[in-house]
Amino acid sequence: MRLATPALRVTKGGRTSSLSLESGTHVVGGGFGCDLVIVGTSPEPAFSLLLTKETGGISASISALREDIIVGDRLLKQNESIPLCAGQTIRFDGTECQVEGLRRPAGRRRHKMIAAGMLVVAALLLLGGFGNDETTINTAVSLKAATPTAIRPSSEAIAEELRQAIRLAQLPADMMVEPLATEIHVGENSSPLTFAGRAKLRDIIDALNRRSPVPIVDKSSVSSGLGGFVAAAGYEPFRFIVGVDGRRYHEGDAVASGWQIVKIAPGQLTVSRNGDIDTIYLDFPKGGMNPPARSVEPQGH
């Protein structure tokens, strides 16, 4: 009889994601020390799962790594281990997890966390509850050992997980993922991202790169959001723009959002921030001092 493939099903903030699991130990949580990361949870390990392939099915046990882990209706003590039965729900930090594919309960002996082999287990990203500010979310993935029989996923499988994570992160729907022979490209020719969106995408890429057979390359661009910022411009004898805040800016000045003006030229404004370049095209004639900017045409960094 062919055994069902176990998977960790995670629900948070009304969104659900699922990732196939190999036999062995998986540490789940939101930061360093975890090899299955749920972004948006407390930045620490929450629990460990031990999956064992046995005759007739897959058994599992759970070990609480902190004091707020609930399995079914039972609150576990820290370091307490119990068998995990099919259909039981694990709750912590507003997150619900279920291990799918269990055929029967795990044995009743206490399992300690183990590491076997030298392969790297993946990071699971369920991006829900991100804010819209421009701070980078601190997502950490610790490398753990998997069982010697673990199979490294293909580029196509990683690309599909990447698409799912992008969807759950509510990044632009046209964010393209293209698996190539030696790389996986993401974001090429897609809508420009805000800095908060770029932070989400980089968290996803950093996590999945841990087990991808080829590098994941970020080809996305970033929008400064300054398309409506310029109220007027002048080019002679000195180049300057006037912002909607009423202030005059010259080349080298920084606007309130942190973008620095690199170049003011007839019809366009070039700005930079943290290595990213954005060019805003203006509707002004050479003399300047006319209607505001019309659109943003960002360029990759």
Side-chain angles (χ1 to χ4, degrees), residues 249-273:
Y249 297 88
H250 300 84
E251 292 177 351
D253 291 344
V255 298
S257 59
W259 288 84
Q260 185 176 35
I261 298 174
V262 176
K263 184 178 180 180
I264 300 171
Q268 68 182 46
L269 170 71
T270 303
V271 295
S272 70
R273 178 176 170 179

Side-chain angles (χ1 to χ4, degrees), residues 46 64-70 75-79:
L65 302 179
R66 57 195 224 197
E67 296 182 347
D68 60 345
I69 308 302
I70 300 173
L75 177 63
L76 301 186
K77 299 178 181 179
Q78 187 172 2
N79 298 321

Side-chain angles (χ1 to χ4, degrees), residues 14-127:
R15 303 184 184 92
T16 299
S17 184
S18 183
L19 181 68
S20 297
L21 299 174
E22 300 289 342
S23 298
T25 300
H26 306 274
V27 180
V28 182
F32 290 105
C34 304
D35 48 356
L36 300 182
V37 175
I38 304 175
V39 177
T41 60
S42 299
E44 58 183 332
F47 61 88
S48 68
L49 286 173
L50 176 61
L51 269 64
T52 306
K53 186 178 295 185
E54 300 177 353
T55 303
I58 303 293
S59 64
S61 65
I62 178 173
S63 295
L65 302 179
R66 57 195 224 197
E67 296 182 347
D68 60 345
I69 308 302
I70 300 173
V71 178
D73 296 326
R74 177 176 176 178
L75 177 63
L76 301 186
K77 299 178 181 179
Q78 187 172 2
N79 298 321
E80 181 179 2
S81 297
I82 63 171
L84 189 65
C85 300
Q88 281 189 312
T89 299
I90 307 163
R91 297 181 177 87
F92 72 103
D93 285 353
T95 303
E96 294 187 354
C97 301
Q98 284 189 344
V99 179
E100 300 176 325
L102 298 181
R103 295 294 183 89
R104 58 186 178 85
R108 293 189 173 276
R109 61 188 180 88
R110 181 181 180 91
H111 292 288
K112 293 185 178 180
M113 294 169 54
I114 62 171
M118 297 302 294
L119 299 179
V120 176
V121 176
L124 168 65
L125 284 172
L126 175 62
L127 282 92

Side-chain angles (χ1 to χ4, degrees), residues 123-245:
L124 168 65
L125 284 172
L126 175 62
L127 282 92
F130 278 104
N132 292 323
D133 58 29
E134 295 189 352
T135 58
T136 300
I137 306 300
N138 292 321
T139 303
V141 180
S142 178
L143 301 185
K144 294 290 179 180
T147 59
T149 58
I151 300 174
R152 196 173 183 85
S154 66
S155 297
E156 289 73 16
I158 292 292
E160 183 55 36
E161 289 185 36
L162 186 54
R163 293 186 189 100
Q164 180 178 221
I166 287 172
R167 177 182 60 81
L168 292 171
Q170 297 183 315
L171 295 176
D174 66 348
M175 186 65 57
M176 301 298 295
V177 178
E178 185 177 6
L180 305 176
T182 58
E183 293 179 334
I184 298 174
H185 289 181
V186 56
E188 193 166 19
N189 299 320
S190 301
S191 298
L193 298 170
T194 63
F195 265 86
R198 169 61 67 81
K200 292 181 184 181
L201 181 60
R202 287 181 174 172
D203 283 340
I204 295 170
I205 291 174
D206 287 347
L208 290 180
N209 255 331
R210 303 283 182 170
R211 63 189 181 105
S212 178
V214 295
I216 302 174
V217 181
D218 183 2
K219 293 286 187 177
S220 65
S221 59
V222 175
S223 170
S224 64
L226 295 176
F229 178 75
V230 182
Y235 307 106
E236 295 179 359
F238 304 105
R239 296 180 178 182
F240 67 91
I241 63 167
V242 178
V244 293
D245 57 2

